[in-house]
Amino acid sequence: MKKYGIPILITVLMSCVVSCEKTTCNIQITDEGTLQKLIGRNIRTVKELTLSGTLNAEDFHIIRNANHLHFLDISNCDLQYLPDSALAHCDSLKEVILPKGLVNTGDFTFYKCIYNHRTTKTNQKYPSVNL
């Protein structure tokens, strides 16, 4: 290992906890904007993603790239606001669990996403979002 490899490895291990098994990932994020680094190639196959810690718009961009994501739990994230288009076009999502401290969402936060097979009497699909 190169000289600079050990301090970088120690820093990564101290700043997060990542557990990914097949299509399920549990990730604790302490530094905003690091989801890409932490999830790596698993973003292509993850179906269930549970996050805790702090997220920013860059992290939500990574979540939008998870084409097979069916379940997202951000209930343990320190968020009061979801950024604009945070989960836009996440059409494979079936369930999202939001933080209790969430106060507001940005524009187009759930645009074209999280519709499931349940419908109303007028056959209108509605989102499955748990607050």
Side-chain angles (χ1 to χ4, degrees), residues 91 93-94 113-128:
D91 55 1
L93 270 176
K94 296 192 184 330
C113 81
I114 66 171
Y115 287 99
N116 61 24
H117 300 289
R118 295 181 290 175
T119 59
T120 64
K121 289 181 181 178
T122 59
N123 210 26
Q124 299 280 328
K125 290 185 178 181
Y126 61 93
S128 173

Side-chain angles (χ1 to χ4, degrees), residues 13 24 35 42 48-50 52-53 59 65 80 87 98-100 105 112 116:
L13 290 175
T24 303
L35 181 59
N42 291 312
E48 297 181 16
L49 181 59
T50 301
S52 60
D59 295 317
N65 289 327
Q80 292 183 340
L87 299 172
L98 299 171
K100 291 184 186 211
T105 62
K112 291 192 176 185
N116 61 24

Side-chain angles (χ1 to χ4, degrees), residues 9-81:
L9 178 61
I10 291 170
T11 302
V12 170
L13 290 175
M14 291 174 58
S15 67
C16 69
V17 174
V18 178
S19 169
C20 289
E21 294 182 19
K22 294 185 181 180
T23 60
T24 303
C25 286
N26 296 299
I27 301 175
Q28 179 182 358
I29 303 170
T30 57
D31 298 321
E32 293 178 351
T34 59
L35 181 59
Q36 172 68 52
K37 227 186 285 187
L38 300 173
I39 198 166
R41 285 189 239 165
N42 291 312
I43 196 68
R44 297 179 189 152
T45 58
V46 67
K47 290 183 180 182
E48 297 181 16
L49 181 59
T50 301
L51 301 173
S52 60
T54 57
L55 300 172
N56 66 8
E58 186 178 332
D59 295 317
F60 280 102
H61 176 73
I62 301 307
I63 293 169
R64 284 194 304 274
N65 289 327
N67 297 329
H68 301 289
L69 190 62
H70 296 290
F71 173 80
L72 176 63
D73 181 353
I74 54 174
S75 62
N76 291 315
C77 289
D78 185 21
L79 290 170
Q80 292 183 340
Y81 176 79

